[in-house]
Amino acid sequence: MSNANSWPPDRSFWIEEFPARTNNRTTPYLFKGIIPATAADADAVLDGFSAIRRAHAEETPISAHARVYVGEHRRDDLLGAVLTAPDRAGGGFVEWMQELVGADRFSLVINNLETVSPKLAAGLGTFLASLMSGWGVPMGGAELVAFAGNYSGTAFGVHEGYEDAFLTHYGPGSKHFYTWSGEDYRKLTGGDQPLYGDYQWLLEHGEHWILEPGDALFLPRRVFHVGRQDEFSVSVAVPVYTYPDAAILSKAVLPELLETLLAGDPDSALGQPSPMAALDAGHTPAVHRLADLADQALTGAARQAGAVIEQHMRQRWNTILSNGGWEMVTDDLARTQAATAFAAGHVGEGAEVAVIEPYRLIAAEGKAFLRGYEVSVDATVLTAELVAAVNSGPITLPDDQDLLRSVRALGTTGGLAVTARPAVKEEASA
């Protein structure tokens, strides 16, 4: 039996079967029945969409966002109605959407679904944790992107992706998926631009996959693809973001480092205005000044780069792992709700605490990371043994005020659940 049929896939699957089936992770492959319904299903995706609608009604900022498509046209003009219409009564989701968009066929795309669906964040987070233990950690994290509809073709047309991804499918209908290597696609179409409209002729030249509920298709980056279906179904893509090293340096590390090296207040040398430029001297003096300053800054950056990179990557590593592998976003609705629900008053002797799946508590050098957030803690309290116990929890809290304070601080991250001791429950109910 394939290791992929156990849940979650074990480490040997990722280091042996997965690279063998996918030509060392370079070609698509359909893993049948890999995702159990207990981990993810179509209803959980639609429940996540309902959470987005409630947040919209309450004017709560969220990072998860939905897009509506009719055919290949993005219909932002319909999104307001879809987000604010009364809940469907009697009829199903398909009929409700058809009435709202005024079309028989539609597609709904949701980004960062993991931030509005604790069930999917935990269920598919189990899959992601398995992936990271065997394949590796994507330093940009991962997200959940849902595709729900009865569309005759992916709204983005035939296109290529730039990240490795798994497309997981939950039905109820089947999905027909077609893939082409970059080389084949360019030979067939004469370029690498997306293809819209009537591309029926192209399908017979592609590899055809039929996805049924529980299946997962591995889709390597730079592979062209399109999905088609005859009836309503729901799929969730899990892209893993392995940003180029150059992008991490250019977008995150170096700007912060140079900003530090070149920052100056009005009373410092770096904060002084540049002199007026003499008309007869032209721009050359300014060139010399800026070149000298650039040389000083870049020399300083070279000296400090190693330490700054180490600090940045340690922070990124701990953030991603403590967030269960999911990418860190600002307005994570589920995180906010969990932090609000955490009852600090219940944290006392005899209470039980546990880390919410799929998140992890990481403690090092007097800092603790949980659900992507950093919290200052007493390193003598949060020992390695205690961290392991909490991650495997729940644990019963002792009468240790230092530990109780640390637990209350960790609760602000939205990564802990607490159950009060029976006496506290009785007092609260009284």
Side-chain angles (χ1 to χ4, degrees):
M1 182 178 72
S2 166
N3 290 325
N5 290 91
S6 61
W7 181 257
D10 60 28
R11 191 168 185 272
S12 65
F13 165 76
W14 294 106
I15 63 178
E16 296 173 8
E17 182 174 349
F18 176 54
R21 299 283 193 185
T22 60
N23 193 23
N24 201 25
R25 310 178 186 93
T26 60
T27 57
Y29 187 83
L30 180 61
F31 294 95
K32 301 294 293 182
I34 191 174
I35 310 290
T38 53
D41 58 24
D43 287 342
V45 174
L46 298 184
D47 288 344
F49 177 57
S50 294
I52 292 176
R53 281 169 35 85
R54 288 192 297 271
H56 181 78
E58 296 165 2
E59 298 184 346
T60 301
I62 58 173
S63 289
H65 63 276
R67 289 169 285 162
V68 176
Y69 294 85
V70 176
E72 294 173 338
H73 300 288
R74 176 170 170 171
R75 296 294 303 273
D76 289 343
D77 59 312
L78 298 174
L79 182 59
V82 169
L83 292 178
T84 59
D87 289 336
R88 53 190 184 276
F93 177 78
V94 174
E95 294 79 11
W96 181 79
M97 281 291 295
Q98 288 173 329
E99 182 178 350
L100 289 173
V101 303
D104 290 333
R105 291 198 168 216
F106 66 90
S107 61
L108 175 70
V109 180
I110 304 172
N111 285 90
N112 287 118
L113 183 65
E114 75 281 357
T115 66
V116 291
S117 174
K119 177 179 179 178
L120 292 173
L124 290 175
T126 301
F127 179 75
L128 182 57
S130 161
L131 178 154
M132 292 191 298
S133 70
W135 184 5
V137 178
M139 294 307 292
E143 71 164 315
L144 297 181
V145 184
F147 298 85
N150 57 1
Y151 46 92
S152 59
T154 305
F156 315 140
V158 184
H159 64 288
E160 65 176 323
Y162 293 94
E163 300 86 20
D164 293 326
F166 284 87
L167 180 65
T168 64
H169 190 65
Y170 305 106
S174 299
K175 180 187 288 292
H176 294 265
F177 211 80
Y178 299 84
T179 60
W180 299 261
S181 69
E183 180 181 5
D184 287 345
Y185 185 82
R186 284 185 284 273
K187 286 180 180 178
L188 290 164
T189 68
D192 56 8
Q193 296 302 306
L195 195 60
Y196 298 97
D198 182 10
Y199 44 75
Q200 188 71 34
W201 63 272
L202 185 64
L203 301 182
E204 63 185 67
H205 300 287
E207 195 161 8
H208 181 201
W209 313 90
I210 301 176
L211 279 70
E212 298 170 313
D215 293 350
L217 175 68
F218 173 63
L219 194 62
R221 58 186 179 273
R222 307 308 302 271
V223 168
F224 286 82
H225 57 274
V226 71
R228 294 167 65 85
Q229 50 206 47
D230 297 323
E231 54 186 326
F232 177 75
S233 69
V234 177
S235 302
V236 176
V238 189
V240 291
Y241 297 125
T242 49
Y243 300 133
D245 288 346
I248 294 177
L249 286 176
S250 65
K251 297 181 183 300
V253 178
L254 293 182
E256 294 176 7
L257 177 54
L258 290 173
E259 176 66 25
T260 299
L261 291 170
L262 293 172
D265 59 55
D267 294 325
S268 69
L270 288 175
Q272 293 299 308
S274 59
M276 296 290 286
L279 183 60
D280 56 354
H283 67 280
T284 301
V287 170
H288 291 160
R289 287 197 316 276
L290 290 174
D292 289 343
L293 183 57
D295 182 66
Q296 296 172 30
L298 293 175
T299 299
R303 287 197 301 266
Q304 299 180 33
V308 172
I309 291 170
E310 199 281 332
Q311 180 183 18
H312 176 89
M313 295 310 294
R314 181 175 64 246
Q315 188 88 8
R316 180 184 287 263
W317 178 267
N318 289 336
T319 297
I320 292 297
L321 289 186
S322 70
N323 203 37
W326 302 121
E327 68 173 343
M328 193 69 177
V329 297
T330 303
D331 295 312
D332 183 327
L333 179 65
R335 180 193 293 120
T336 300
Q337 291 176 334
T340 302
F342 183 81
H346 289 171
V347 177
E349 180 186 3
E352 289 187 341
V353 295
V355 172
I356 298 172
E357 290 292 338
Y359 312 107
R360 287 294 174 264
L361 173 61
I362 298 174
E365 301 177 355
K367 299 288 185 181
F369 289 82
L370 181 57
R371 204 161 180 170
Y373 277 102
E374 179 183 324
V375 179
S376 295
V377 294
D378 186 342
T380 62
V381 172
L382 221 57
T383 63
E385 293 76 16
L386 181 60
V387 169
V390 173
N391 279 325
S392 301
I395 67 167
T396 301
L397 295 173
D399 183 13
D400 182 332
Q401 294 305 310
D402 291 334
L403 174 58
L404 298 180
R405 277 192 292 271
S406 293
V407 169
R408 293 186 188 106
L410 290 170
T412 64
T413 66
L416 282 185
V418 59
T419 303
R421 69 184 191 277
V424 174
K425 290 179 181 177
E426 292 170 4
E427 293 166 7
S429 61

